[in-house]
Amino acid sequence: MILSGRGVTAVLGPTNTGKTHYAIERMVAHGSGVIGLPLRLLAREVYTRLVEKVGAPNVALVTGEEKISPPKAKYSVCTVEAMPRETTAAFVAIDEVQLAGDLERGHIFTDRILHLRGREETLLLGAGTMRPILEKLLPGIVVVERPRLSQLFYAGQKKITRLPQRTAIVAFSADEVYAIAELVRRQRGGAAVVLGALSPRTRNAQVGLYQNGDVEYLVATDAIGMGLNLDVDHVAFAQDRKFDGYQFRNLNPGEMGQIAGRAGRHLRDGTFGVTGRVDPLDDELVERVESHQFDAVKVLQWRTKNFDFSSIANLRGSLDAAPTVQGLSRALPAIDQQALEYLSRYPEIIDVTTNAERVEKLWEACALPDYRRIAPAQHADLISTLYFDLVKRGAVNEDFMAEQVRRADRTDGEIDTLSARIAQIRTWTYVSNRPGWLADPTHWQEKTREIEDRLSDALHERLTKRFVDRRTSVLMRRLRENAMLEAEISVNGDVFVEGHHVGQLAGFRFTPVAGAEGPDAKAVQGAAQKALALEYEARAARLHASGNGDLALSSDGLVRWLGEPVARLAAGDNIMKPRVIMLADEQLSGNARDHAVARIERFVNHQIATVLKPLDDISRAEDLQGLAKGLAFQLVENLGVLFRRDVTEEVKTLDQDARASMRRYGIRFGAYHVFLPALLKPAPAELVTLLWALKNDGLGKPGYGDLIPVLAAGRTSVVTDPSFERMFYKLAGFRFLGKRAVRIDILERLADLIRPLLQWKPGTQPRPEGAYDGRRFTTTTAMLSILGATLDDMEEILKGLGYRADQVSAEEAAAFLGGQSADAAKASADAGETVAEAAGTQEAAAEETSQDDADAQPASEEAAAPAETPVEAKADDAAATDAVAAEAAEPKPVLLWRPGGRNDNQRSDNRRPANRNHGERRADGGEERQGQPRGNNANRDGDRKRDGDRKREGARPDRNGGNNNRNERHDRGERKDRPDRNDRGGKPQGQQRFEAKPPRKEKPLDPDSPFAKLAALKEQLKK
């Protein structure tokens, strides 16, 4: 082999030396020329530049997949693989000649370097590492070294999120490229993506996205190192290992320098560094990259061009020929040679390949590129199909090709799907451009080109949609141009900058959209805030002039204006006057902020004064004096409800005038509570709950707001939840009584039902339903009805109120009631009726508690049912069935309820009355019982609380009835072994010392009192 470098010039140097630009200038100086480039993408770029210089009719583009061949074209731009083996052109140039050392494609570059020459001038362009081998292989070659136009510096290691703008991030796998691009999109607005697997059109579109400034970052493989002219200021290596087709290995210094050299353009310096998980580069490597000092290329990959087509075996033998020139190395089997190896084993291929022409056709078919990156055997099968069509039909079966093209002609799917379809259609684009392979090549060239372009555009769209935030990219471009950003606010609060949605304005707070981060986000928000400053002032003016109907106070303590939160309430010094905290950005300031706050404060005060008018009236009452004013103050502090036991002495001390003055403000003195009935409604209850929660940090406590719907539903009692804050029951108008909570006004109605039963005198007629002996009573259906409760619930409620139960048999109760009347028949009938009432209360309650009481409007048994789960309901049914069976077997005892005393919990079993089957049951000790006064004094205080008002107003019941009743039982021997309740020291009854109490001073009756009118009516009836 005799080689010569005569007429050949090698222009060598690092990146950014203007070698490609020089070659274009030299080519147009000749009458004709051919230039070979390593990438179809770069070929497209050079073709475009030549068209701008000499016009489209004078330039041809020839690649493996695309041909643009004007009839009178003078200049041809080709990929190296598509360059002709011989040419008559005056000028020939080959770019990136250092790829002759590449294991996969190197033999093609070597062949063109050694054998392809221009008539007048031949240029070899590449890295300075090629000088020794070129001078050795091509004696007489002229070598021109060009210095780099700018400097390259090492910038160290940086996080991906801290990389400067105009950075190219380099990785060597599609998965890594996509992962980095996704991170850059979230943090910095977006990135363009360049992969070798992308179609040239898609890569061009992505590069254009970066070059146009739509994005500031490019994530790519080492494809950018092959002569692409990019405006890159910094190259960051996210990986330093690659798969070269045979193994994973570290980048050598020359490869790293080739990629890093993309940084810097023309006279602008560039930097390079590492990012991600790559360790910082060592000093020696940095120095070599900065000074472009790399190991020289020692050998070039070579494969013979003299093929023996006499037989398949001879062809394979010629491919195994070794070079005879030192400096060349036999290339490893390429894809075409691997395919030939597979096909040579197929008997059907051997049978049809009978002459040199068919062997050459087989070798031509083996040149089909493996765009799909599939297994060699599968690729060989496709080549076999095409080859049989070529030798048997003379052309590829167009029906088969049409079916394959149709399968690829779809633009749906994601990135990987579209990439696979593009690889598929590129295969058929190559087939359509092979001369003599198709009967109608023009049709299929246009068809496949159209589909590939459409798929490439769709892939570009998917890549852009996934890895580019269009809003951020446009804004960054305007910022780079130092343009004033225009911002506007829509009627629904959407904020737009340059037509892109950047956030939402709710009330007086601006919330940027997710992902608005990074240094450019500050400029975007700055532009938005300029528009917001004027909007804030306008909104403050509208708020100041708005009516109360535009504002609302929600249960979470937020004040909303036209549905948007503008303020929240916080605890103040006075529970009725919470503080207003404005929810607004700093841009709302000065008088505008003061006016907005003042308007909201007026609304909150008006809302409290309106919804809680009874409390507001009491707090400002001027006609209340002395104890009445103090009691009213306590009522306001406790938000409308006081337990009477807590203010017993104050209530006792009030005279009739003071009570009357307080009643005029809606205050009711009940047996258990002093309260304002007007507040036992959903709206006031919700507001007082909020005010208490603000004062006591209760917005997050369990049960907040859960009891207001129960009150709104008209429920009179509810099963308690032990996890709830107990104060919420009181604020909602319920009294917590252990396992059940009852509405306060309903408890007072219950007290009104119990009071006449305890005041009834035995022997007087008629006997009220439920009365027993003047000291004890039984539950009635009226009680169950107003409470919406069952017998078990009623037992819990009465225990919670401090009552205790005595159990007697039905026969004993009937005998006792029978002795209460002189008329035996009538007494017997009354006793039987009472026994039936007492023993059958459960059965009667089941029928009657479902009906509403006309006066009390109680909740029915069905109203209580929603508090039970289906499992509880089944358990209740089972319990009811068992109860009926037990009742049939043995009559139930009768529970006689009486006010509890202090000694109830101190009695032992041997000191209980002998005629009682069981002692008193103890209550479960709910919240109310824990505060219940005990002992005789407590009992008497309880009596006073229940009927204190009526005693002082002339409706005092006869006290002797109870004493006579006790004497009567004592005479019958029922209390012989029981010490007197007033004997605190356990002395015999005869040694007890009685002290007469001073007569209670009668107070003048209030003529307006209803009790005075009842007393007068009673006197008239006696007459």
Side-chain angles (χ1 to χ4, degrees):
M1 183 184 294
I2 301 175
L3 302 174
S4 173
R6 186 178 301 174
V8 179
T9 302
V11 181
L12 307 178
T15 56
N16 193 24
T17 56
K19 297 187 294 294
T20 305
H21 176 74
Y22 173 76
I24 294 173
E25 295 294 330
R26 293 301 305 151
M27 186 164 69
V28 297
H30 293 275
S32 61
V34 177
I35 184 170
L37 299 154
L39 298 174
R40 182 179 168 190
L41 183 64
L42 186 57
R44 261 286 182 178
E45 180 183 339
V46 173
Y47 169 77
T48 303
R49 293 170 64 180
L50 277 172
V51 167
E52 293 174 356
K53 286 181 173 293
V54 299
N58 295 315
V59 185
L61 175 65
V62 182
T63 68
E65 308 160 46
E66 183 177 17
K67 282 186 179 179
I68 301 175
S69 300
K72 298 181 180 180
K74 300 178 181 178
Y75 307 102
S76 296
V77 180
C78 312
T79 55
V80 172
E81 286 83 353
M83 291 182 76
R85 294 182 182 274
E86 297 179 356
T87 181
T88 59
F91 174 84
V92 170
I94 304 171
D95 197 8
E96 304 293 352
V97 292
Q98 71 273 8
L99 288 178
D102 183 71
L103 295 177
E104 186 176 357
R105 304 172 60 198
H107 65 277
I108 299 174
F109 280 81
T110 301
D111 178 71
R112 306 300 187 265
I113 292 170
L114 298 180
H115 303 293
L116 189 60
R117 298 288 183 265
R119 287 186 295 104
E120 300 174 4
E121 183 178 3
T122 301
L123 285 182
L124 302 179
L125 314 174
T129 57
M130 288 291 291
R131 179 168 187 164
I133 192 67
L134 289 178
E135 289 179 339
K136 181 178 181 180
L137 293 175
L138 301 175
I141 189 172
V142 178
V143 177
V144 178
E145 291 194 358
R146 296 174 64 95
R148 183 178 167 90
L149 299 178
S150 61
Q151 297 296 314
L152 188 63
F153 301 102
Y154 179 59
Q157 186 181 40
K158 293 182 181 180
K159 293 182 179 180
I160 292 178
T161 55
R162 295 183 179 273
L163 292 172
Q165 294 182 356
R166 310 309 293 172
T167 290
I169 306 171
V170 180
F172 298 101
S173 70
D175 291 341
E176 190 71 12
V177 167
Y178 291 156
I180 294 172
E182 180 67 26
L183 177 61
V184 173
R185 185 194 69 81
R186 291 198 305 266
Q187 299 290 336
R188 311 305 294 272
V193 174
V194 174
L195 296 168
L198 299 180
S199 67
R201 184 181 179 91
T202 303
R203 278 185 287 177
N204 278 339
Q206 289 289 303
V207 169
L209 197 67
Y210 174 79
Q211 288 292 92
N212 295 336
D214 291 338
V215 294
E216 297 293 340
Y217 298 89
L218 177 71
V219 186
T221 61
D222 54 352
I224 65 168
M226 299 299 172
L228 288 180
N229 295 313
L230 302 170
D231 292 325
V232 175
D233 294 335
H234 180 76
V235 171
F237 290 90
Q239 288 181 313
D240 58 356
R241 289 175 60 83
K242 66 176 287 188
F243 183 74
D244 61 4
Y246 299 94
Q247 63 180 349
F248 282 98
R249 61 174 177 81
N250 291 329
L251 295 176
N252 60 53
E255 292 171 330
M256 186 164 284
Q258 181 73 21
I259 298 171
R262 293 298 104 192
R265 184 73 184 273
H266 196 49
L267 301 178
R268 188 173 67 247
D269 294 338
T271 59
F272 69 99
V274 295
T275 187
R277 295 183 295 272
V278 179
D279 296 330
L281 304 179
D282 58 72
D283 295 340
E284 180 183 357
L285 178 58
V286 169
E287 184 179 357
R288 295 181 67 179
V289 173
E290 288 180 345
S291 60
H292 317 293
Q293 299 298 321
F294 306 113
D295 295 336
V297 177
K298 295 181 174 56
V299 294
L300 302 183
Q301 300 299 312
W302 175 88
R303 188 174 74 179
T304 183
K305 69 172 186 175
N306 298 318
F307 303 113
D308 184 356
F309 296 119
S310 59
S311 67
I312 295 179
N314 292 339
L315 175 60
R316 292 173 59 190
S318 63
L319 289 170
D320 291 334
T324 59
V325 176
Q326 189 177 5
L328 300 179
S329 175
R330 185 167 64 86
L332 295 172
I335 293 176
D336 52 0
Q337 189 174 349
Q338 294 176 19
L340 180 64
E341 293 290 337
Y342 275 96
L343 292 173
S344 64
R345 303 190 191 107
Y346 292 4
E348 59 272 19
I349 294 292
I350 297 175
D351 292 341
V352 300
T353 312
T354 56
N355 53 47
E357 182 182 357
R358 291 192 173 185
V359 174
E360 185 176 2
K361 183 64 72 175
L362 177 63
W363 179 243
E364 183 183 354
C366 288
L368 177 70
D370 184 15
Y371 296 111
R372 298 176 295 170
R373 304 290 182 181
I374 57 178
Q378 291 179 296
H379 185 59
D381 288 341
L382 175 61
I383 295 175
S384 173
T385 302
L386 298 177
Y387 175 66
F388 276 116
D389 287 343
L390 291 173
V391 297
K392 293 181 177 180
R393 296 170 174 263
V396 174
N397 184 353
E398 294 195 5
D399 292 338
F400 171 74
M401 184 171 177
E403 177 62 21
Q404 302 302 315
V405 170
R406 185 190 63 80
R407 292 179 181 179
D409 190 11
R410 292 174 54 190
T411 58
D412 58 317
E414 294 303 318
I415 293 174
D416 292 339
T417 304
L418 290 173
S419 297
R421 290 184 189 142
I422 289 175
Q424 177 80 5
I425 201 65
R426 288 181 73 184
T427 299
W428 301 108
T429 301
Y430 179 89
V431 170
S432 66
N433 281 279
R434 298 305 296 168
W437 279 30
L438 292 172
D440 187 4
T442 304
H443 165 74
W444 289 110
Q445 288 172 5
E446 295 175 355
K447 181 73 172 178
T448 54
R449 170 60 52 209
E450 177 189 354
I451 295 174
E452 182 179 343
D453 289 348
R454 191 161 58 247
L455 288 172
S456 298
D457 293 341
L459 179 58
H460 171 65
E461 180 185 351
R462 300 292 194 284
L463 290 170
T464 303
K465 183 177 180 180
R466 179 173 174 181
F467 300 123
V468 178
D469 185 342
R470 281 290 191 183
R471 174 189 60 83
T472 304
S473 63
V474 171
L475 295 178
M476 287 193 297
R477 185 194 301 175
R478 293 299 304 275
L479 289 171
R480 191 167 56 255
E481 296 170 355
N482 293 323
M484 291 295 295
L485 299 179
E486 298 181 0
E488 59 181 3
I489 303 170
S490 66
V491 293
N492 59 356
D494 291 319
V495 181
F496 296 89
V497 174
E498 293 294 328
H500 295 276
H501 185 246
V502 298
Q504 181 74 28
L505 179 61
F508 295 94
R509 278 188 169 179
F510 172 67
T511 304
V513 296
E517 301 176 0
D520 299 307
K522 296 180 180 179
V524 173
Q525 290 198 22
Q529 294 296 349
K530 290 180 181 179
L532 292 174
L534 298 176
E535 178 67 14
Y536 283 155
E537 292 186 5
R539 288 195 172 200
R542 294 199 300 271
L543 172 61
H544 187 263
S546 63
N548 288 330
D550 295 336
L551 293 159
L553 176 60
S554 56
S555 60
D556 54 1
L558 293 178
V559 179
R560 300 177 183 273
W561 175 49
L562 300 176
E564 301 292 346
V566 293
R568 64 178 177 85
L569 301 185
D573 296 335
N574 187 336
I575 194 171
M576 296 287 289
K577 294 186 179 298
R579 293 185 299 115
V580 171
I581 299 177
M582 197 72 186
L583 300 179
D585 294 336
E586 296 179 355
Q587 285 71 21
L588 180 64
S589 59
N591 292 333
R593 191 182 191 96
D594 295 340
H595 289 162
V597 172
R599 178 65 188 93
I600 294 173
E601 288 178 344
R602 289 201 307 272
F603 164 74
V604 172
N605 294 334
H606 174 269
Q607 188 76 359
I608 294 174
T610 302
V611 178
L612 304 181
K613 187 177 186 302
L615 282 181
D616 185 66
D617 292 343
I618 293 172
S619 65
R620 295 185 290 103
E622 298 180 356
D623 56 338
L624 297 180
Q625 302 296 330
L627 287 175
K629 191 172 186 67
L631 190 60
F633 176 79
Q634 292 187 55
L635 197 61
V636 173
E637 286 292 310
N638 287 272
L639 300 174
V641 176
L642 288 172
F643 294 129
R644 184 152 180 167
R645 65 162 185 262
D646 297 334
V647 291
T648 302
E649 296 302 324
E650 290 90 334
V651 173
K652 286 181 183 178
T653 313
L654 287 176
D655 57 22
Q656 293 298 324
D657 291 338
R659 288 176 182 244
S661 63
M662 296 184 72
R663 287 194 187 95
R664 282 196 291 271
Y665 285 98
I667 300 174
R668 178 179 174 186
F669 295 89
Y672 308 113
H673 311 88
V674 178
F675 66 104
L676 289 164
L679 298 184
L680 302 182
K681 295 179 180 179
E686 182 177 20
L687 185 53
V688 297
T689 302
L690 172 61
L691 295 177
W692 182 90
L694 293 174
K695 190 71 174 178
N696 297 275
D697 193 23
L699 290 177
K701 291 184 178 180
Y704 175 74
D706 292 339
L707 296 171
I708 305 303
V710 176
L711 181 64
R715 300 282 295 279
T716 57
S717 67
V718 63
V719 177
T720 57
D721 189 328
S723 65
F724 285 6
E725 168 68 37
R726 289 190 178 182
M727 189 61 182
F728 292 148
Y729 286 98
K730 178 182 175 183
L731 296 170
F734 289 88
R735 180 157 178 172
F736 189 94
L737 298 173
K739 297 181 180 179
R740 202 161 188 91
V742 183
R743 215 168 68 196
I744 288 172
D745 56 338
I746 298 300
L747 282 181
E748 299 303 336
R749 293 180 60 187
L750 177 63
D752 292 340
L753 293 177
I754 294 174
R755 188 179 297 111
L757 306 184
L758 295 178
Q759 293 177 353
W760 173 71
K761 297 179 181 180
T764 61
Q765 296 297 331
R767 179 179 62 81
E769 180 186 2
Y772 187 73
D773 57 5
R775 295 183 60 252
R776 294 176 291 180
F777 65 92
T778 61
T779 55
T780 65
T781 55
M783 297 178 188
L784 298 175
S785 179
I786 65 170
L787 292 171
T790 64
L791 281 175
D792 292 338
D793 296 335
M794 190 67 187
E795 186 174 345
E796 294 290 338
I797 292 169
L798 291 176
K799 286 180 181 179
L801 291 174
Y803 291 95
R804 300 295 177 266
D806 300 331
Q807 288 188 1
V808 298
S809 65
E811 293 80 1
E812 183 180 355
F816 176 78
L817 291 175
Q820 295 293 327
S821 175
D823 187 351
K826 183 175 179 57
S828 178
D830 291 342
E833 182 181 354
T834 303
V835 170
E837 292 171 359
T841 304
Q842 181 175 357
E843 203 171 352
E847 298 177 358
E848 298 186 25
T849 53
S850 61
Q851 301 177 0
D852 292 337
D853 186 89
D855 297 329
Q857 297 180 354
S860 65
E861 195 168 13
E862 294 178 358
E868 300 179 352
T869 64
V871 175
E872 292 172 343
K874 292 180 179 179
D876 291 342
D877 293 341
T881 304
D882 294 342
V884 172
E887 184 178 357
E890 182 180 354
K892 280 191 173 183
V894 178
L895 294 182
L896 303 178
W897 294 94
R898 57 182 172 77
R902 186 174 65 180
N903 293 333
D904 288 338
N905 294 330
Q906 299 175 356
R907 295 172 181 167
S908 59
D909 292 339
N910 59 356
R911 300 181 66 181
R912 291 175 181 168
N915 64 330
R916 296 181 184 175
N917 295 329
H918 301 283
E920 303 83 70
R921 295 184 179 180
R922 297 185 180 183
D924 56 355
E927 176 199 35
E928 309 304 340
R929 182 173 168 250
Q930 293 172 0
Q932 180 80 17
R934 298 181 179 182
N936 294 336
N937 292 334
N939 193 26
R940 287 194 295 272
D941 290 341
D943 293 338
R944 294 191 189 102
K945 285 192 288 185
R946 283 189 293 271
D947 57 3
D949 294 341
R950 297 185 182 181
K951 291 178 180 179
R952 294 178 176 83
E953 294 172 2
R956 181 180 303 170
D958 189 353
R959 289 183 173 183
N960 296 329
N963 294 333
N964 293 337
N965 191 24
R966 286 195 295 271
N967 293 335
E968 180 182 355
R969 289 197 300 272
H970 179 70
D971 293 340
R972 292 206 303 267
E974 293 180 7
R975 299 178 55 90
K976 291 181 180 181
D977 60 343
R978 184 173 180 178
D980 189 85
R981 295 174 64 187
N982 293 325
D983 181 11
R984 302 175 185 269
K987 297 180 181 181
Q989 192 168 3
Q991 298 179 8
Q992 294 176 12
R993 183 169 59 187
F994 296 90
E995 295 181 1
K997 293 185 179 179
R1000 182 176 295 177
K1001 184 177 180 180
E1002 296 293 339
K1003 297 180 181 179
L1005 294 177
D1006 181 5
D1008 296 329
S1009 171
F1011 300 106
K1013 296 179 180 180
L1014 288 173
L1017 180 60
K1018 183 176 180 182
E1019 292 298 328
Q1020 292 178 4
L1021 291 175
K1022 287 182 179 180
K1023 295 179 181 180

